[in-house]
Amino acid sequence: EVQLVESGGGLVQPGGSLRLSCAASGFTFSNYWMHWVRQAPGKGLVWVSRISKDGRSTSYADSVKGRFTISRDNAKNTLDLQMNSLRAEDTAVYYCARDLQYNLPDYWGQGTLVTVSS
Amino acid sequence: QSALTQPPSASGSPGQSVTISCTGTSGDIGGYNYVSWYQQHLGKAPKLIIYEVSKRPSGVPDRFSASKSGNTASLTVSGLQAEDEADYYCSSYAGSKNALFGGGTKLTVL
């Protein structure tokens, strides 16, 4: 069974940093591109970032470019999102998701809540 | 404003059918046969229910069907059940751009 379990969310002040992690199991992690997708309270899904199977290729939404860094450790089956210079508008549930094909996710984790507030 | 346009709400009575639309452009929905639909119950993670425009993953009831015409994709839920009440999101491959999501449609079973 495919499982994606996020962790690392919490309350952080504006300008602060947070590192999210996603532990993957039930599939061959190194065979899949992976995504981070976020959802602000009461709002829709917004794609944040994706990373290639080997970690060499990454891309970001314009809203987080230069502030967020996606990475992965295929030996540990983990996906990370380093978030710096956080803003109030980054407040959201962050989901880790596996890529099915063509940048479209299939399996999603349960999400981790990030709240940016003073 | 989301890149793909969905109606904010839809509703139907148990047993009825309801269709949710998702409108994009020739650069996304209209240009590729890679449209997915996700179901999200309140407080839960999204669940894939349709991929490649009209294919259903294993375990998804055949009450869920989908299609595409031009720049618009559609999801139809037939034989509505109370458990179908949820938010539904479309998503499309967009070539060199990253994947796009619709704004979501809240489906209410009356």
Side-chain angles (χ1 to χ4, degrees), chain A residues 35 37 39 42-47 50 59-61 95 100-111, chain B residues 34-36 38 40 43-48 51-52 89 91-95 97-103:
Chain A
H35 301 270
V37 179
Q39 186 172 35
K43 303 296 185 181
L45 302 170
V46 176
W47 176 83
R50 78 166 187 266
S59 61
Y60 301 90
Y95 294 101
L100 171 63
Q101 59 184 351
Y102 292 94
N103 297 332
L104 300 177
D106 54 0
Y107 288 94
W108 301 62
Q110 86 289 349
Chain B
Y34 293 106
V35 177
S36 293
Y38 303 92
Q40 186 180 35
K44 300 295 186 182
K47 174 188 174 184
L48 179 68
Y51 67 101
E52 290 183 24
Y89 293 90
S91 184
S92 174
Y93 178 64
K97 296 182 184 179
N98 295 300
L100 306 174
F101 286 100

Side-chain angles (χ1 to χ4, degrees), chain A residues 22-24 29 73-78:
Chain A
C22 171
F29 182 67
D73 185 333
N74 286 343
K76 297 181 178 179
N77 292 345
T78 57

Side-chain angles (χ1 to χ4, degrees), chain B:
Chain B
Q1 187 172 358
S2 301
L4 303 178
T5 301
Q6 297 181 234
S9 63
S11 63
S13 299
Q16 289 187 331
S17 295
V18 63
T19 297
I20 298 170
S21 63
C22 172
T23 302
T25 69
S26 58
D28 39 72
I29 292 177
Y32 308 95
N33 288 323
Y34 293 106
V35 177
S36 293
W37 288 89
Y38 303 92
Q39 177 192 60
Q40 186 180 35
H41 287 108
L42 187 64
K44 300 295 186 182
K47 174 188 174 184
L48 179 68
I49 57 172
I50 296 287
Y51 67 101
E52 290 183 24
V53 176
S54 60
K55 297 180 180 179
R56 280 178 287 106
S58 174
V60 174
D62 58 7
R63 301 185 294 102
F64 292 91
S65 62
S67 62
K68 187 190 84 166
S69 178
N71 297 337
T72 298
S74 299
L75 172 72
T76 297
V77 186
S78 304
L80 270 175
Q81 299 182 4
E83 68 211 49
D84 298 332
E85 186 159 296
D87 293 328
Y88 291 84
Y89 293 90
C90 60
S91 184
S92 174
Y93 178 64
S96 59
K97 296 182 184 179
N98 295 300
L100 306 174
F101 286 100
T105 298
K106 182 177 180 61
L107 175 60
T108 300
V109 180
L110 302 171

Side-chain angles (χ1 to χ4, degrees), chain A residues 6-24:
Chain A
E6 301 94 336
S7 61
L11 175 64
V12 61
Q13 292 188 339
S17 298
L18 212 55
R19 188 176 186 88
L20 307 183
S21 290
C22 171

Side-chain angles (χ1 to χ4, degrees), chain A residues 34-98:
Chain A
M34 296 293 295
H35 301 270
W36 286 100
V37 179
R38 69 185 181 185
Q39 186 172 35
K43 303 296 185 181
L45 302 170
V46 176
W47 176 83
V48 173
S49 181
R50 78 166 187 266
I51 188 167
S52 61
K53 300 175 188 180
D54 61 5
R56 294 182 178 181
S57 176
T58 60
S59 61
Y60 301 90
D62 288 343
S63 58
V64 307
K65 200 172 295 183
R67 299 187 299 124
F68 290 13
T69 302
I70 189 172
S71 61
R72 67 190 295 162
D73 185 333
N74 286 343
K76 297 181 178 179
N77 292 345
T78 57
L79 174 72
D80 289 342
L81 186 69
Q82 177 66 42
M83 305 186 295
N84 299 330
S85 303
L86 283 162
R87 307 166 180 168
E89 54 264 37
D90 295 319
T91 294
V93 173
Y94 284 74
Y95 294 101
C96 156
R98 190 181 79 168

